[in-house]
Amino acid sequence: MIAVNTPYNEAVRYIENARDTLKRAGKMDGEYKDVKYVQTASGTAYLGVLIALDEYLKRKEGNRYSQPQSIEDYQRRIAKQNKKVNKWLKIVYADLHLVGYYHGTTSYEVIRRGLENAEKIINLIKTN
């Protein structure tokens, strides 16, 4: 268990909680069996990414930092810093927030891709 005292540790805790929740969804033939757990896990993982992105922007923008007000605001500001990170964010937003949380996909592959990209974003703030 990771002690919660940094944005990185908090974001990792969200991802770990999401993975634990997905275990309860069960899998069969590349699909999760219980959409409720997939939606909960997707929302939790997405929130962990937002924690990481806030810290990333604080580090990059310094005194100019203000809390982003929309996904478009995050994307615009992240794109100014690093286009690769913006690509990861677009995947996370689509796979976890829209398809996983709102639409309730049961696709294992979609959620896996979203979580992989979420972890890439979170690892940006691991050091420093």
Side-chain angles (χ1 to χ4, degrees), residues 15-93:
I15 292 294
E16 288 174 351
N17 288 345
R19 288 194 182 282
D20 287 343
T21 301
L22 283 172
K23 289 176 186 172
R24 289 185 245 149
K27 278 190 294 188
M28 185 184 337
D29 300 327
E31 298 285 322
Y32 287 105
K33 293 193 283 185
D34 192 333
V35 71
K36 177 190 116 182
Y37 291 117
V38 176
Q39 287 179 296
T40 301
S42 295
T44 301
Y46 181 70
L47 290 173
V49 168
L50 294 182
I51 291 168
L53 288 173
D54 287 340
E55 180 63 18
Y56 180 78
L57 287 172
K58 284 177 190 175
R59 292 177 185 183
K60 294 294 186 178
E61 295 176 349
N63 292 338
R64 298 178 324 234
Y65 173 79
S66 62
Q67 181 79 37
Q69 298 300 304
S70 65
I71 187 60
E72 294 81 14
D73 195 10
Y74 276 103
Q75 290 174 340
R76 186 179 88 272
R77 290 163 64 181
I78 295 293
K80 288 180 184 178
Q81 304 298 332
N82 188 321
K83 297 214 183 300
K84 184 186 292 186
V85 176
N86 197 44
K87 177 184 166 193
W88 298 339
L89 173 57
K90 287 179 180 182
I91 292 168
V92 167
Y93 180 71

Side-chain angles (χ1 to χ4, degrees), residues 97-117:
H97 187 62
L98 294 178
V99 179
Y101 179 72
Y102 277 113
H103 299 295
T105 187
T106 56
S107 170
Y108 171 78
E109 206 45 47
V110 168
I111 299 304
R112 182 198 58 75
R113 182 179 60 202
L115 288 172
E116 283 179 0
N117 283 278

Side-chain angles (χ1 to χ4, degrees), residues 5-19:
N5 58 3
T6 67
Y8 171 75
N9 289 346
E10 185 70 1
V12 168
R13 187 170 73 104
Y14 275 70
I15 292 294
E16 288 174 351
N17 288 345
R19 288 194 182 282

